[in-house]
Amino acid sequence: MATFVLVHGGGHGGWCYQKVARRLRAAGREVHCPTLTGLGERAHLLNADIDLDTHIQDVVALMTFEGLEDVILVGHSYGGMVITGVADRVAERIRELVYLDAAHPRGGESLEILAPAQMEPTRAMGRTVDGIELVMWPFPGMAGFFGITDPADVAWTEARLTPHPWKCFGQPLRLENGDAAFRLPRTNINCTHALQNSPDEARARQLEGHRNFEIDTGHDLMITEPEAVATMLLEVAG
């Protein structure tokens, strides 16, 4: 039976998948929701060396030390960068990749390159603290940026968001094993707004999968539409 590994996006943590994970576990599935180094409950580990490679290694190490095989590896937003790198390193452990309204990088591309319209203002609003350039500083109303409108969800999310090291967004994806990551089956779960407003090339990548789902909701679909996301993930698992 497939195991789910759910990777969060920028400024978030494994906590953001609580609603989805609860539903997947109720269906009898094993679920891991790692928090990437320097974020969420691991914010105390923040340091100047954290970059995309660090976060790829976080997930590779989880899968290796837990002995996970037949993994459905899910990435939200920036998490699409991470899971593509993980798939490059340990393709043999992965059954399928699932991109949740996520980045779809190729080798040599960074999130800064893929989404300049979002990343340029994000960096402009950053701050450097103890020699670490940090972006996505939480502010009141930030949950709205992620498409969250329910007051309870807004309060819950904003209490947990943390700043994110810029190096993660600026570092290009480094592939070590050719096209290994791109030979794996992949599913896309896109938000309608993202599809409608993406440039043509980005939209083509958002639909470049063996399966494509669409949900008319905000960017943090695992919080706003957990039932729909969990149902789609269970369909992927079979």
Side-chain angles (χ1 to χ4, degrees):
M1 182 178 290
T3 295
F4 288 97
V5 175
L6 312 179
V7 180
H8 63 84
H12 289 56
W15 55 265
C16 71
Y17 283 113
Q18 284 184 20
K19 293 180 181 181
V20 171
R22 191 177 302 125
R23 288 163 169 81
L24 296 177
R25 290 173 180 139
R29 302 291 179 164
E30 181 180 351
V31 184
H32 297 263
C33 304
T35 291
L36 303 173
T37 301
L39 299 164
E41 75 276 13
R42 304 183 71 208
H44 64 289
L45 300 176
L46 186 66
N47 65 79
D49 295 326
I50 295 172
D51 56 15
L52 174 59
D53 280 341
T54 307
H55 290 162
I56 291 169
Q57 185 56 37
D58 283 339
V59 182
V60 169
L62 167 73
M63 292 168 61
T64 301
F65 281 87
E66 292 288 345
L68 303 183
E69 306 280 352
D70 198 29
V71 170
I72 295 175
L73 182 59
V74 181
H76 172 248
S77 195
Y78 160 74
M81 302 289 301
V82 178
I83 68 170
T84 306
V86 174
D88 170 72
R89 310 300 197 271
V90 289
E92 71 281 0
R93 294 182 178 273
I94 299 169
R95 177 198 291 192
E96 186 155 347
L97 299 172
V98 180
Y99 291 79
L100 292 183
D101 214 39
H104 295 75
R106 304 289 189 264
E109 294 179 339
S110 66
L111 193 59
E112 181 182 18
I113 290 171
L114 288 177
Q118 291 77 32
M119 291 296 99
E120 288 174 9
T122 295
R123 190 175 195 185
M125 295 174 64
R127 309 177 207 164
T128 298
V129 178
D130 296 329
I132 308 169
E133 186 177 2
L134 297 169
V135 296
M136 299 184 69
W137 285 85
F139 59 85
M142 190 172 187
F145 176 79
F146 299 115
I148 301 171
T149 57
D150 178 81
D153 287 339
V154 167
W156 182 78
T157 300
E158 293 188 354
R160 290 163 174 79
L161 295 170
T162 50
H164 197 112
W166 170 258
K167 285 175 70 173
C168 301
F169 301 149
Q171 183 189 21
L173 175 65
R174 180 176 55 84
L175 298 179
E176 298 177 351
N177 294 294
D179 65 349
F182 302 95
R183 293 197 299 266
L184 291 167
R186 61 176 56 202
T187 290
N188 300 307
I189 302 178
N190 294 303
C191 294
T192 300
H193 181 268
L195 280 178
Q196 291 176 342
N197 292 277
S198 292
D200 290 344
E201 182 180 354
R203 186 180 303 108
R205 293 191 189 188
Q206 289 167 319
L207 297 173
E208 190 177 71
H210 294 76
R211 262 181 297 243
N212 291 299
F213 297 103
E214 184 177 333
I215 304 177
D216 188 7
T217 190
H219 181 54
D220 272 13
L221 64 173
M222 64 284 180
I223 294 174
T224 58
E225 290 288 347
E227 185 67 39
V229 171
T231 297
M232 291 171 183
L233 292 178
L234 289 170
E235 183 175 334
V236 172

